[in-house]
């Protein structure tokens, strides 16, 4: 049920809540023999997708407001935003 709540929160643009719920599940999921080895990559993709969805609604962004929305430190959000921006630019050239 917690997975459903997390994705419902993300769909409702409550990214901080949704990501916090997913983060709270990590210790239980890491012990899964099948899913465990892929958790970090999966979470990174979910997090990146949340940033993309959030950023698409704005012409310009404040990293401070993004950090508040995602319940994270500004430094971490800025690193993630740069990474997602690079990925979005690469996607434009490969399509």
């Amino acid at each position: 049920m917690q997975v459903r709540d997390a994705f419902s929160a993300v769909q409702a643009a409550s990214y901080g809540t949704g990501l916090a719920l997913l983060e709270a599940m990590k210790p239980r999921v890491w012990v899964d023999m099948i899913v465990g080895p892929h958790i970090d990559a999966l979470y990174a993709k979910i997090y990146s997708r949340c940033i993309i969805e959030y950023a698409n609604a704005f012409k310009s962004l404040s990293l401070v407001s993004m950090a508040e929305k995602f319940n994270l430190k500004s430094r971490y959000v800025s690193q993630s935003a740069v990474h997602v921006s690079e990925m979005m630019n690469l996607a434009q050239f490969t399509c």
Side-chain angles (χ1 to χ4, degrees), residues 32-51:
D32 186 286
M33 291 174 38
I34 296 170
V35 179
H38 308 284
I39 279 301
D40 289 330
L42 181 61
Y43 275 50
K45 287 181 181 186
I46 292 169
Y47 179 73
S48 294
R49 187 65 190 164
C50 287
I51 289 179

Side-chain angles (χ1 to χ4, degrees), residues 55-75:
N56 279 337
F58 301 98
K59 187 173 182 176
S60 64
L61 291 171
S62 162
L63 293 179
V64 174
S65 65
M66 263 181 86
E68 291 171 0
K69 182 73 172 177
F70 285 83
N71 295 327
L72 297 169
K73 294 180 181 177
S74 296
R75 181 175 50 89

Side-chain angles (χ1 to χ4, degrees), residues 13-42:
S14 294
Y15 301 111
T17 302
L19 293 172
L21 288 169
L22 286 173
E23 193 68 32
M25 292 175 16
K26 261 188 179 181
R28 287 182 283 156
V29 181
W30 266 331
V31 297
D32 186 286
M33 291 174 38
I34 296 170
V35 179
H38 308 284
I39 279 301
D40 289 330
L42 181 61

